[in-house]
Amino acid sequence: MLEPIIYLALFGLAGWAIAQLVRWLATGRRPRSLPGKPAGGVKPVLERRLVRLLNGDRAAAHRLVESVQQRYPDRPTAWCWEKAIFDLERDRFR
């Protein structure tokens, strides 16, 4: 009796995983990292500085870095954080 329920649950989980893979392949973008944590390899100092420049808007900071990563996909993540900070400071203090 329990066996069909287990198969149904596994089938649903496999379907969800396939749907996520198809969505990822269709958009050509990596899955987003969680906004509460710095992306892998990023110095917390860079994240704090960018978030401070954006008055505490952590989601906006991650969106800016994500857009830099899309423009420069071959660059390391730390470089993208530094570039986002540089661009924001350049545009703000002209």
Side-chain angles (χ1 to χ4, degrees):
M1 185 69 175
L2 186 62
E3 197 171 290
I5 294 172
I6 293 173
Y7 286 127
L8 186 60
L10 289 175
F11 182 72
L13 182 62
W16 176 83
I18 291 170
Q20 294 298 316
L21 179 63
V22 167
R23 183 179 305 145
W24 178 58
L25 292 173
T27 60
R29 293 173 43 181
R30 295 183 321 207
R32 288 181 146 191
S33 60
L34 295 176
K37 299 178 181 178
V42 176
K43 296 178 184 174
V45 174
L46 294 174
E47 184 182 20
R48 280 194 304 267
R49 183 171 175 194
L50 184 57
V51 169
R52 188 179 69 241
L53 286 170
L54 293 169
N55 296 322
D57 192 349
R58 188 177 303 273
H62 284 268
R63 285 193 304 271
L64 278 174
V65 171
E66 193 172 289
S67 71
V68 171
Q69 286 175 331
Q70 288 176 358
R71 280 184 283 161
Y72 304 98
D74 57 326
R75 297 291 187 155
T77 306
W79 184 90
C80 294
W81 282 84
E82 291 171 358
K83 173 76 169 143
I85 292 167
F86 173 81
D87 289 346
L88 190 61
E89 288 176 339
R90 180 197 63 211
D91 294 343
R92 187 173 285 179
F93 301 118
R94 269 190 196 189

